[in-house]
Amino acid sequence: AKPVGEFNQGRIVLRGKHVQHFLNGVKVVEIDLDAPQVRASIEERWAADNPVRELLETMPKALTPVALQHHNDVAWYRNVKIRPLPAAK
C-alpha cells in the first residue's frame, strides 16, 4: 500500500465465481467464491445470527452488489469504474 495521502490503485476482476484482486498492479487475492476457504472465513468472522452472514451465505453471487467501505476512518475514492466483462472463453 502507498503512504497516507497517496492513492492506491485497485482492480477486481470477477468472471463467474472466480475473483482476482490486484493492488497497485500486484495480485493479492485469487479465489473462487464457492471455495471452502471462503465459507470458513465467513463462519469465522460473522456470528450465526448476524444478518451480514445470512446475506453473504444466501445472496446469489452473480447478483451481489458492489460496496465500497472503510474501517472507522475517512476514505477517498476516485475514478471508480464498474463494467461487465465478456464471458470467459
Side-chain angles (χ1 to χ4, degrees):
K2 294 187 178 181
V4 173
E6 294 185 30
F7 280 94
N8 289 292
Q9 180 181 5
R11 181 175 185 205
I12 299 172
V13 179
L14 174 64
R15 290 191 190 270
K17 292 184 180 180
H18 187 78
V19 179
Q20 295 176 311
H21 178 209
F22 299 84
L23 183 61
N24 300 320
V26 176
K27 187 186 323 177
V28 294
V29 172
E30 181 169 15
I31 197 161
D32 290 317
L33 293 175
D34 54 2
Q37 301 96 310
V38 173
R39 177 66 182 215
S41 179
I42 291 169
E43 291 173 355
E44 181 181 316
R45 174 148 189 199
W46 303 101
D49 61 347
N50 189 300
V52 173
R53 179 172 171 173
E54 180 182 352
L55 181 71
L56 291 171
E57 292 176 334
T58 62
M59 181 175 272
K61 304 302 186 251
L63 302 176
T64 304
V66 173
L68 302 175
Q69 71 180 46
H70 64 87
H71 297 281
N72 301 320
D73 208 346
V74 175
W76 293 77
Y77 302 95
R78 68 177 183 181
N79 300 326
V80 176
K81 298 173 185 142
I82 301 171
R83 62 186 168 98
L85 298 175
K89 295 179 182 177

